[in-house]
Amino acid sequence: MKRDSRLSGVLHVLLHMAEQGAPMTSEQLAKAMQTHPVVIRRTLGGLRDAGFVHSEKGHGGGWTIAKPLADITMRDVYDAIGRPGLMAMGNRTEAPGCLVERAVNAALDTSFQEAEALLLARFAEVTLAELAADFHARMAARSPSPTTQEHIHG
């Protein structure tokens, strides 16, 4: 089963934008993420609608973060990208005729709901500022090199 990596990708893009400190074009971000600029524009469009990023057209334009990183949580980003499914598992059938399968579905549904609630609560506790601080701590722990960009993808 294919994993949905949109949240991971968007968090990655946002941290690159914050690290750059200047507007980044869809093309620059697409290169960093090894994807197509249209994917970046579509994804960041939802974040723009939520007020987390800003885009400016023309020379010197691009995408920038619109709020302090401490004011954006992983949950905020998750919500802004449309709340993709968190669980890859599910029930064999949603409306079974078999009473055994109904009992199994009930137990699984409760467990899935509890797991999702716990995960979403954790997402709400983690800010992008914390992710950026973790990145900087990891970068400081590595041996020095000439540029930040080499550390980011090295």
Side-chain angles (χ1 to χ4, degrees):
M1 177 175 277
K2 186 170 176 7
R3 292 184 185 185
D4 187 328
S5 62
R6 285 179 291 169
L7 180 60
S8 176
V10 170
L11 293 169
H12 190 158
V13 164
L14 291 170
L15 291 178
H16 273 290
M17 290 169 58
E19 197 61 32
Q20 184 71 21
M24 293 187 76
T25 66
S26 299
E27 289 74 18
Q28 290 171 310
L29 291 167
K31 184 177 179 185
M33 298 304 299
Q34 299 176 349
T35 190
H36 196 277
V38 171
V39 173
I40 297 294
R41 285 190 286 275
R42 185 180 319 123
T43 302
L44 292 181
L47 294 175
R48 181 185 50 223
D49 294 344
F52 300 129
V53 298
H54 176 73
S55 62
E56 195 68 41
K57 294 182 180 184
H59 181 70
W63 296 95
T64 56
I65 307 246
K67 288 185 169 187
L69 295 182
D71 293 345
I72 306 171
T73 67
M74 288 178 25
R75 173 67 189 261
D76 294 330
V77 176
Y78 170 79
D79 289 341
I81 63 170
R83 300 178 181 157
L86 294 172
M87 305 298 283
M89 293 189 297
N91 297 326
R92 190 173 71 91
T93 57
E94 291 303 318
C98 176
L99 296 179
V100 170
E101 191 166 2
R102 286 183 189 177
V104 169
N105 284 5
L108 288 175
D109 288 345
T110 299
S111 297
F112 293 151
Q113 290 167 3
E114 290 172 1
E116 285 189 7
L118 187 63
L119 188 56
L120 292 174
R122 179 65 181 134
F123 283 178
E125 294 172 356
V126 180
T127 67
L128 269 60
E130 291 173 83
L131 296 179
D134 183 26
F135 157 68
H136 284 281
R138 291 170 189 271
M139 190 168 76
R142 290 180 87 176
S143 60
S145 79
T147 69
T148 300
Q149 284 296 348
E150 289 176 16
H151 281 297
I152 292 174
H153 278 109

